[in-house]
Amino acid sequence: MKIEVIAFGIAKDILNSNQVTLEMEEQSSVADVRQALVDLYPAFQGLASLQLAVNADYVSDDYLIKENDEVVLIPPVSGG
Amino acid sequence: MLNKEELIRYNRQIILPDFGIEGQEKLKSSSVLVIGAGGLGIPNLSYLAAAGVGRIGLVEFDEISLSNLQRQVMYKTNQAGESKGKSAVKMIQELNPNVSVDYFETRLDAENALEVIGDFDLVVDGSDNLPTRYLVNDACVLLGKPLVYAAVFRYEGQVSVFNAQRKDGSRGPNYRDLFPTPPPPEMVPSCNEGGVFGALTGIIGAMQANEAIKLLAGLGIRLDGRLFLFDSQYFTARFLNIKSNSENPVSGDHPTITELIDYEAFCGLSEVENEADDITVQELHQMIKSGNAPFILDVREPYEYAISNLNGLNIPLSNLENEIGQLSQNEITVIHCKSGQRSLKALEFLKKEGFSKIKNLKGGILAWQKEIDHSIEIY
């Protein structure tokens, strides 16, 4: 199934885009998405502690994603 | 309670539905602490003072610099080098003499945060670094103060209200529910390193002030439990729902943080671990004065080198791998950048390539300007 990954902040640099489409197996969890991102983009390891949001909600790592879900990557930013 | 001048001054908000005299009186009897008088702090201070918040506290220790003026629109060109805090206090007093101002000319830290924050009803965080953000969050949770959070990076801004008291007496989520673990420092570039769009700081800072005023006047629906994200480059916005995590170390079921901690260390910014590879600006200055000047490698971008430099060889960090042939392993080499972050990466790279006579200039050219040569242009 296809899911969309939406990136903010430094995650945009790592994905080299503000949005990428990932092909995931059915019954994949948020933890699987995190691993897929590390495999595809080794620099994402630096953000591996990031909580991921699916669509409009922050979810736990065992949350199962569905086709066309949007996984949102929001690293902390510190500027003021 | 409100005098005639105040009734006229605040007329446009007093006549608002849900605001009224009552809302104005609540503002007048309330207090806000604003952390930082920078890109976010300035719109906050301006709107909070204009709206008639009774007492405003400001924590700021920095000076106005030329590179602030692109976004910190309250400061004037001829004020470069002056105290930000003093200038901001004067601005507030001129804008609205009804407001009393408490100015804390200090860096907020684990020693003073509880005392400073404890004296205010609400905190607005406009700081510019991750350790301070965790510090302010934890202090607010420990003291039971609502925190209006915002942060900016490049074209993006984040806003939320943390630790807000709900009708049932419970508290809304906080920063640690959103970001439980800080990523490594290189994953959290500051505005100095990553840049920031000027008008964005105005937009996000004004949203923050808007939430603060709503909280104090007790109106509207608060940004509690939600993170607002705005990407001004693509003009997209998003809300994300944040839940309280029962394992949150400061507000969860079994808190392990019951007093403030070392936030520099928590964010991986402790300098101790790399001390052996560091050289201070005083040490470098001494070497040069005694005729033992080392080879200086400047890993900043050429446009930064053009503003000011220490007569080093300029090879930007991104180009170091290609240009490594220009360096000698036999020569004592001091690497520097603006503040010491990029030069640390360069040092780690060169170590892997077999270089051993290399040192990282602690604090970079900023420290050199501050400690050794004030005439150097900084940015």
Side-chain angles (χ1 to χ4, degrees):
Chain A
M1 65 179 169
K2 282 188 168 51
I3 61 157
E4 294 296 318
V5 176
I6 316 283
F8 285 85
I10 201 82
K12 275 184 187 169
D13 291 16
I14 294 173
L15 271 54
N16 208 16
S17 173
N18 67 326
Q19 185 164 0
V20 297
T21 306
L22 283 191
E23 183 66 44
M24 297 295 299
E25 285 179 22
E26 299 293 327
Q27 296 292 306
S28 291
S29 68
V30 163
D32 297 330
V33 175
R34 188 192 307 278
Q35 189 55 51
L37 287 168
V38 174
D39 293 344
L40 281 167
Y41 309 95
F44 191 73
Q45 188 64 47
L47 291 179
S49 67
L50 204 61
Q51 288 206 94
L52 304 187
V54 175
N55 303 324
D57 295 293
Y58 276 92
V59 293
S60 57
D61 272 18
D62 54 9
Y63 182 90
L64 296 181
I65 49 167
K66 300 182 301 295
E67 173 101 39
N68 297 326
D69 270 350
E70 283 185 339
V71 174
V72 191
L73 311 178
I74 305 155
V77 298
S78 64
Chain B
M1 194 173 163
L2 297 168
N3 64 32
K4 193 171 164 185
E5 189 265 353
E6 290 170 306
L7 290 170
I8 297 168
R9 177 189 285 267
Y10 305 123
N11 169 270
R12 297 300 187 275
Q13 63 199 36
I14 287 173
I15 61 175
L16 284 173
D18 302 330
F19 197 92
I21 298 278
E22 195 191 339
Q24 193 62 52
E25 285 180 339
K26 279 185 190 163
L27 280 191
K28 188 177 177 177
S29 63
S30 60
S31 58
V32 179
L33 182 71
V34 177
I35 317 230
L40 294 175
I42 286 167
N44 272 290
L45 293 168
S46 306
Y47 283 110
L48 293 169
V53 171
R55 185 166 58 95
I56 295 178
L58 169 63
V59 183
E60 180 59 82
F61 59 90
D62 221 348
E63 288 172 0
I64 300 164
S65 78
L66 192 57
S67 62
N68 293 152
L69 302 181
Q70 156 264 9
R71 63 197 180 282
Q72 300 176 22
V73 294
M74 182 179 75
Y75 304 128
K76 309 286 184 270
T77 304
N78 64 7
Q79 288 183 301
E82 291 178 17
S83 153
K84 271 189 182 179
K86 284 183 186 142
S87 168
V89 169
K90 186 162 173 274
M91 181 278 297
I92 295 167
Q93 286 163 341
E94 287 174 357
L95 173 56
N96 190 347
N98 300 306
V99 178
S100 71
V101 188
D102 293 340
Y103 172 36
F104 303 90
E105 189 165 16
T106 182
R107 185 188 286 269
L108 203 69
D109 60 26
E111 299 294 315
N112 61 22
L114 292 177
E115 195 182 333
V116 172
I117 291 174
D119 198 27
F120 293 87
D121 298 327
L122 179 148
V123 178
V124 167
D125 186 2
S127 65
D128 63 357
N129 63 85
L130 207 57
T132 304
R133 295 200 173 272
Y134 280 99
L135 165 70
V136 171
N137 179 74
D138 290 2
C140 285
V141 173
L142 293 174
L143 292 164
K145 307 283 182 187
L147 168 60
V148 184
Y149 158 84
V152 289
F153 175 66
R154 294 184 181 157
Y155 299 95
E156 295 171 21
Q158 310 181 347
V159 192
S160 192
V161 171
F162 293 139
N163 200 44
Q165 189 157 26
R166 294 176 170 174
K167 284 203 175 96
D168 63 3
S170 68
R171 294 272 171 179
N174 61 67
Y175 193 65
R176 284 181 184 269
D177 292 309
L178 185 58
F179 301 117
T181 317
E186 65 271 17
M187 287 288 167
V188 196
S190 66
C191 295
N192 294 349
E193 297 158 328
V196 65
F197 205 47
L200 174 79
T201 61
I203 294 167
I204 298 296
M207 284 188 175
Q208 218 178 351
N210 192 70
E211 283 307 295
I213 294 166
K214 277 166 55 189
L215 277 156
L216 296 172
L219 61 93
I221 303 294
R222 308 177 299 193
L223 196 58
D224 166 19
R226 291 180 295 161
L227 177 71
F228 177 72
L229 281 169
F230 179 55
D231 184 332
S232 67
Q233 188 176 16
Y234 295 89
F235 216 104
T236 55
R238 214 169 246 278
F239 285 99
L240 292 155
N241 298 315
I242 314 165
K243 282 194 285 284
S244 294
N245 180 356
S246 60
E247 288 168 27
N248 184 314
V250 69
S251 60
D253 294 344
H254 305 284
T256 51
I257 296 174
T258 53
E259 55 186 39
L260 300 177
I261 60 170
D262 180 344
Y263 292 90
E264 297 281 328
F266 176 67
C267 293
L269 289 166
S270 284
E271 287 158 356
V272 186
E273 47 197 315
N274 294 308
E275 225 166 34
D277 295 326
D278 278 347
I279 180 170
T280 65
V281 290
Q282 287 84 2
E283 287 164 347
L284 175 60
H285 188 223
Q286 196 55 45
M287 285 172 84
I288 295 170
K289 273 202 304 191
S290 61
N292 295 317
F295 184 80
I296 295 177
L297 170 64
D298 184 337
V299 295
R300 297 173 303 154
E301 296 299 316
Y303 70 86
E304 298 176 88
Y305 190 86
I307 295 171
S308 52
N309 62 73
L310 306 178
N311 294 317
L313 173 68
N314 184 208
I315 305 176
L317 178 62
S318 56
N319 218 13
L320 195 54
E321 199 168 348
N322 298 328
E323 302 286 333
I324 196 166
Q326 294 196 53
L327 303 172
S328 162
Q329 296 204 13
N330 299 321
E331 204 161 9
I332 296 171
T333 301
V334 170
I335 313 167
H336 84 87
C337 60
K338 185 180 179 187
S339 67
Q341 293 288 329
R342 280 172 287 176
S343 53
L344 184 59
K345 284 182 200 161
L347 180 124
E348 280 164 0
F349 167 73
L350 290 173
K351 266 181 156 177
K352 277 186 204 145
E353 297 293 316
F355 284 74
S356 57
K357 295 179 173 177
I358 48 175
K359 292 278 181 190
N360 177 31
L361 185 65
K362 202 175 163 186
I365 200 166
L366 287 179
W368 185 269
Q369 189 274 343
K370 203 173 171 200
E371 308 284 335
I372 308 292
D373 182 359
H374 299 306
S375 71
I376 278 190
E377 295 285 341
I378 54 164
Y379 52 96

